[in-house]
Amino acid sequence: MDYEKDKDYAYRTPAGEVDNRHDVSPPDQYRDDGDVFGDEANADIHYKTLSWQFVSMMMIAEIVSNGMLSLPSSLAVVGVVPGVIIIIFLGVFATFTSYLLIQFKVRHPEVHSMGDAGYIIAGPIGREVLAGGTVIFAICGTGSQLLAGQIALGALSSPGSLCLLLYTGIMAIPTFFLSLPRTLDRLNWLSALAAFSILIAGIVGMGAAGANPITDQGSISIALSSDFTSAFISITNPVFAYAGHFMFFILISEMANPQDAMKAAYTLQGFATIFYTVFAIVTYYYLGPSVTSPSFSSLPPIWQKATYGLALPNFLIAGCLYSHTAAKLLFVRIFRHSRHLHSHTLIGWTAWTALVFLMVAIAFILAVGVPIFNYLVGLSAALFASWYTYGVAGAFWIHDTWIGWESGHRGTGEKSTWMHARPGFLGTGYGWSALMRRKGMFALCVGTVLGGAFICVAGLYAIIEGIIEAYATGAVATPFSCSAG
């Protein structure tokens, strides 16, 4: 069936009937009538207020965080050259997938989270899998930041002063309260502070490593051979260090001008790739193969206090962004299209507070109650970050091209998805014909999906092997252990 586009971006059948099911706009036009939060002119709570500058600060605060501190130890496993190649490659790869995700969001303004995107390409099952994975990964991210705060508070305190479990609880309390604002714009300046915090901490850490080297230049390895498990666990460190794409849709949904989202992504990826590379090389050069993860713990005590103290605001705000993301996904899912989303109602605020508390509480319990929580974070990174940061972005582009976005309109059947192709999809604007017109991009996106699958499977194997080895060697502590800080 042939469709003719009219001035309102609807499509008319040969009989002259308007088919509103396929009502779309050009990729560069963001239509407010299909937006997640709609027209907020008369709303009590306004979500769509973020500028791209502050979104970039939030991305940096959340992504360039404690994951950075594991990168020097990755170089110690595989050597300088392979390690740097991996860090730069994953940074460029993440920039490409950022572009794909943002284009998908602009084309589908109704998408608020990975769950909504999953529904578009895979129906109800896709929605539940991607939404559930987002919540799980965000909770694990919150727990990881609580543990980073525990380490920082332990370094800042006198030895033996408090139980480490209590430090985790101390971090959880402000994480909960700072996550409570309903809109992300309330975290604007705190995110800028967090981004500045980790930048200064990293610079001071590199300076401290240079002033207190614990190795000579001869022990630095250009390349090292290693068993697959150790090597791939070291690769999951930079994968996790770039793992923030899962919250891109939620951030962009609260932008005043979503068309500017790519500016924020370029700022993030450019900063992260350069900073990660410099930090990993300099720290490894001076601290050598014995550098620990987190690398600040390899510094003399006085410098540990300085660097962890400077990084502490970042750990706190990053944890807030993770927990806020998990709660926001569920809150919007429950109250979408209801007055509780935009009004100060008792039900709305009670539900929001309960969701934030639940996310932080679960993260705290996992962080202190699961002896292998660090491995659990690695598992979540392999299982979810591999797809959210890399693999699934390629599937989004393939989906939109298959149903006809590249020709300016969507498919012709009742099911406008790549899983339900109809004969009309074989025309010049749809299906394989559309994909073959852009063979290079199609190949890149297929490679993106396959790359995400490889990171997922190989990462799971390596992390599970690491867990088995940890139990075999007795390296696993008891649940809720209270060693002195």
Side-chain angles (χ1 to χ4, degrees):
M1 183 182 293
D2 295 326
Y3 281 69
E4 179 183 358
K5 188 167 74 170
D6 68 14
K7 64 181 180 180
D8 296 319
Y9 301 108
Y11 291 86
R12 297 184 181 275
T13 68
E17 298 173 344
V18 175
D19 184 356
N20 290 317
R21 293 172 304 173
H22 308 292
D23 179 24
V24 299
S25 303
D28 60 349
Q29 182 172 342
Y30 194 91
R31 299 189 63 195
D32 192 63
D33 61 342
D35 182 78
V36 176
F37 298 110
D39 184 3
E40 296 184 323
N42 298 315
D44 295 330
I45 300 173
H46 296 265
Y47 293 91
K48 298 183 291 183
T49 59
L50 292 174
S51 67
W52 73 264
Q53 292 90 344
F54 276 117
V55 169
S56 67
M57 291 297 101
M58 289 182 178
M59 290 177 172
I60 291 172
E62 180 260 337
I63 294 174
V64 185
S65 187
N66 63 334
M68 173 188 81
L69 304 181
S70 66
L71 298 181
S73 65
S74 293
L75 267 60
V77 174
V78 298
V80 174
V81 172
V84 169
I85 290 174
I86 290 169
I87 291 171
I88 295 176
F89 170 76
L90 290 175
V92 174
F93 194 3
T95 304
F96 174 65
T97 56
S98 295
Y99 170 79
L100 297 179
L101 291 175
I102 290 170
Q103 288 298 302
F104 185 83
K105 166 61 179 172
V106 171
R107 288 166 173 163
H108 301 273
E110 73 276 13
V111 168
H112 176 255
S113 68
M114 281 288 179
D116 293 336
Y119 183 78
I120 290 175
I121 68 169
I125 294 177
R127 175 178 59 193
E128 303 308 330
V129 170
L130 292 188
T134 298
V135 173
I136 292 170
F137 185 70
I139 289 174
C140 287
T142 304
S144 177
Q145 297 298 341
L146 294 181
L147 285 184
Q150 175 204 85
I151 295 171
L153 292 174
L156 291 168
S157 305
S158 301
S161 57
L162 276 179
C163 165
L164 289 179
L165 187 149
L166 295 179
Y167 288 132
T168 313
I170 291 171
M171 277 292 292
I173 294 171
T175 298
F176 165 69
F177 283 108
L178 291 176
S179 302
L180 278 177
R182 288 266 288 273
T183 57
L184 283 167
D185 66 329
R186 299 298 182 90
L187 295 175
N188 272 348
W189 291 104
L190 288 176
S191 296
L193 171 64
F196 183 73
S197 153
I198 197 64
L199 170 64
I200 298 303
I203 292 173
V204 171
M206 289 187 284
N212 301 274
I214 59 175
T215 186
D216 56 60
Q217 187 176 352
S219 63
I220 304 301
S221 300
I222 300 300
L224 288 169
S225 61
S226 178
D227 63 274
F228 177 81
T229 300
S230 299
F232 210 86
I233 287 178
S234 70
I235 292 174
T236 61
N237 290 334
V239 169
F240 182 69
Y242 286 111
H245 291 47
F246 75 101
M247 68 182 299
F248 276 16
F249 291 153
I250 291 176
L251 285 172
I252 298 169
S253 295
E254 298 195 29
M255 288 184 68
N257 296 298
Q259 304 95 326
D260 292 336
M262 202 60 215
K263 297 177 184 177
Y266 282 138
T267 303
L268 161 71
Q269 299 301 158
F271 174 80
T273 304
I274 295 170
F275 193 52
Y276 284 170
T277 303
V278 173
F279 180 81
I281 292 173
V282 172
T283 304
Y284 173 59
Y285 181 85
Y286 288 111
L287 300 184
S290 62
V291 63
T292 60
S293 177
S295 60
F296 287 167
S297 295
S298 294
L299 300 172
I302 186 64
W303 289 109
Q304 287 188 39
K305 293 179 183 293
T307 51
Y308 278 126
L310 289 168
L312 191 58
N314 175 269
F315 299 157
L316 177 60
I317 301 305
C320 295
L321 290 171
Y322 277 120
S323 57
H324 185 104
T325 297
K328 181 67 69 65
L329 184 154
L330 296 172
F331 185 78
V332 172
R333 173 82 177 269
I334 296 168
F335 294 111
R336 198 168 189 164
H337 307 306
S338 80
R339 65 188 183 91
H340 303 295
L341 187 65
H342 283 100
S343 301
H344 294 291
T345 65
L346 179 61
I347 291 176
W349 273 107
T350 300
W352 172 251
T353 304
L355 285 171
V356 173
F357 178 82
L358 185 63
M359 298 303 105
V360 177
I362 294 174
F364 171 76
I365 291 170
L366 290 175
V368 300
V370 178
I372 58 168
F373 181 72
N374 284 329
Y375 289 101
L376 187 63
V377 173
L379 283 174
S380 69
L383 191 58
F384 301 120
S386 59
W387 290 108
Y388 295 151
T389 307
Y390 300 109
V392 77
F396 291 156
W397 183 89
I398 293 171
H399 166 272
D400 275 2
T401 304
W402 179 268
I403 66 170
W405 277 108
E406 294 304 317
S407 64
H409 59 283
R410 294 176 65 179
T412 60
E414 293 184 1
K415 283 280 191 178
S416 293
T417 71
W418 61 307
M419 297 186 303
H420 299 85
R422 295 168 66 92
F425 275 52
L426 301 179
T428 58
Y430 312 103
W432 286 111
S433 178
L435 293 174
M436 290 301 100
R437 282 205 317 272
R438 301 192 64 184
K439 292 185 179 70
M441 190 68 167
F442 178 49
L444 283 174
C445 289
V446 170
T448 296
V449 175
L450 295 177
F454 173 74
I455 294 172
C456 176
V457 174
L460 286 174
Y461 172 81
I463 296 296
I464 291 172
E465 284 290 313
I467 293 173
I468 294 172
E469 182 180 352
Y471 273 105
T473 58
V476 178
T478 58
F480 300 100
S481 62
C482 191
S483 56

